[in-house]
Amino acid sequence: MTTPAVRPYTITLESGSFSTHDQVSILDAALASGVPVPFSCRRGECGSCRAQVLDGEFEPLVAPTERSYVPASDELLMCQCRATSDLALRFPHWQAPDRPPARRDARVVTRRPLTANVTELIVEVQGDEPFDYRPGQHVLLLLEDGRRRPFSIASVPQATGDRCRLQFHIRRMPGGVFTDGVLPALMPGDTLALEGPQGACVWPGELADGIEHLVLLATGTGFAGVFPILMAAIESRRLRSVTLYWGGREPDDCYAAGLLNALQGKDTIFRWQPVVSNSSSRYVQDVAADAGHDWQHSMVYACGNPGMVRAARQRLQQQGLPEQRFQSEAFVPSDDAAPTVASSASPTRLPPKHPWEQVGARFTMEGILQARRRSIAAVHEIAALIRPGMTTAAAIALADQHLRGMGASHNWHPTYIRFGADSQSPAIHPTDRQRVLGEDDIFVVDIGPVWDNYEGDYGDTFATGPSADHARCAEAARLVFQRTRLAWLQGLTGAGLYDAADGYAREYGCTVVREIPGHRVADFPHALYGKHQLAAADFVPSDGIWVLEIQVRDLHLPIGAFYEDVLLREDAVAII
């Protein structure tokens, strides 16, 4: 018997190309080639791996089912199709991750004081490869003991001669390993190791429609993070105004006042204002909020003290600033008081504690928290729309339509809604899509939307009538989640959590369904970093990137309940 000849083809993406052949799925070929592409379920149900076909031919590997995602007429699902010619594809719903930060050597050019406590350090990146970065990014300076110190790049992206020079503004932290132990001894010609560029709080290539004004907020050396954005905005000539509010304790803390005054004098769209807290009880966010900006048509970048960042976000959004138009970096002290950069409302960005906890270069805790907030709201809004007499299929269609209306780009896992007896089964089991919700019934809403390239995941259980058993079962899932989370806070491993959960569930007349093992979330898709299970983790999971799933089944009745949420350490955000 003759084996059919394998026909090779090339798949071209906006981020590069890879080889495939007509015997494998396009997704498998991409992953085998190490090319990052969006994907999740690999069953053709979630639509995460959909791609728009710009050119070429393909054919399905299997016939669709009632659970299959239906792509548009000019799309394919990479996990369900193979190429029959060269193909050109694009992903309208997803942007390929940035290249991993590179480790580079840098030679010290100059070191000079800007104030009594702030030093300007200029280094020249070595090597033949270009060092390309975007306004607003930072690098990690690598210390000999393996520790890292992130600093914003204060210079505008451009090469100086054959080498790229980077400027940093570094505030002395008394007792700091770097600022007291390394920095004062650096001399021109000395070599430092760095890793980067990193950070997603950057000037965009294209401004969204409706943005006419830029407002920059900085405290202390946070000015270094916003100055390149300021210059890029002025040079773009696309804005009606650019305004900087720079806060410090003393007037001298605004160490670039001369430069800013010169810019203000020659450019009609730029204005800046120092905000000195020692002479006033007002802070940068207060001054900005009272300045009469057109917040509906503004973009805000905030860089500096975490308290300022949090207060500014809340106050300016209350005044009408759209949620997605607030970008930020916050500066928090590391354990030895050396300066560290972190995204706002998040802990210090450190290397993952375990290989299973990798995230992308653009990941921030704030992105996860925003996705979580929107997912919780979506579940409760969808539940309010579901009515007795509705079929499961109709409820899923309604939920997906509602998610799109709320701004979700797509689902990283299919929407699962389960009525009545189906509520006792995990999502991986087949669901009766024609089951009708009763007047006194129980139902589960489980969603996995993607919001601004971050994965949301939330699920809860609801009842349509007065049944005490339905209410008890739904509450059991929530209580088991809360008690299991507390066990995690006390140091239980991921594997240990599900043993504990089963003991809790039996106190409420239920048992935990072990086929639901918990999973990762991250910047979409977490599958690029691994599809690891929480229940298999032999370590204590980190904050904000694991979803604890609790599926319970009543010990006596044909009903169940489901509750899931991201594991978070703060009580105020973890339990709603």
Side-chain angles (χ1 to χ4, degrees), residues 34 48 65 139 235 277 338 341 469 506 551:
S48 292
T65 69
V139 302
E235 292 173 6
S277 59
V341 179
D469 286 320
R506 292 182 182 277
Q551 171 77 48

Side-chain angles (χ1 to χ4, degrees), residues 204-356:
E206 294 292 335
L207 282 174
D209 291 341
I211 297 178
E212 300 177 356
H213 310 280
L214 177 66
V215 177
L216 304 165
L217 309 177
T219 55
T221 52
F223 170 75
V226 300
F227 178 67
I229 295 172
L230 182 158
M231 295 302 296
I234 291 175
E235 292 173 6
S236 74
R237 315 309 300 178
R238 290 180 289 174
L239 294 164
R240 294 173 57 188
S241 71
V242 177
T243 308
L244 167 68
Y245 298 94
W246 187 2
R249 294 181 180 179
E250 305 290 345
D252 288 348
D253 288 339
C254 298
Y255 49 81
L259 171 62
L260 296 173
N261 288 336
L263 283 174
Q264 183 172 257
K266 73 176 185 178
D267 197 294
T268 58
I269 70 167
F270 174 64
R271 293 290 180 271
W272 86 284
Q273 183 172 343
V275 182
V276 180
S277 59
N278 269 2
S279 61
S280 170
S281 60
R282 304 181 76 214
Y283 300 97
V284 288
Q285 65 271 18
D286 302 319
V287 177
D290 294 340
H293 290 282
D294 178 6
W295 297 114
Q296 283 287 339
H297 298 93
S298 295
M299 184 78 178
V300 173
Y301 286 83
C303 191
N305 181 278
M308 178 275 288
V309 170
R310 289 192 295 268
R313 178 187 298 275
Q314 180 179 9
R315 182 157 187 191
L316 300 186
Q317 288 180 356
Q318 288 174 347
Q319 293 211 347
L321 179 72
E323 180 178 300
Q324 69 276 16
R325 292 184 182 172
F326 187 97
Q327 303 293 322
S328 63
E329 293 270 33
F331 287 75
V332 298
S334 65
D335 290 342
D336 63 356
T340 306
V341 179
S343 63
S344 67
S346 74
T348 303
R349 289 292 310 279
L350 297 174
K353 295 180 181 178
H354 190 278
W356 288 11

Side-chain angles (χ1 to χ4, degrees), residues 1 60 98 298 451 553 557 565:
M1 184 174 180
D98 297 331
S298 295
W451 313 97
R553 181 180 294 133
L557 301 173
D565 195 3

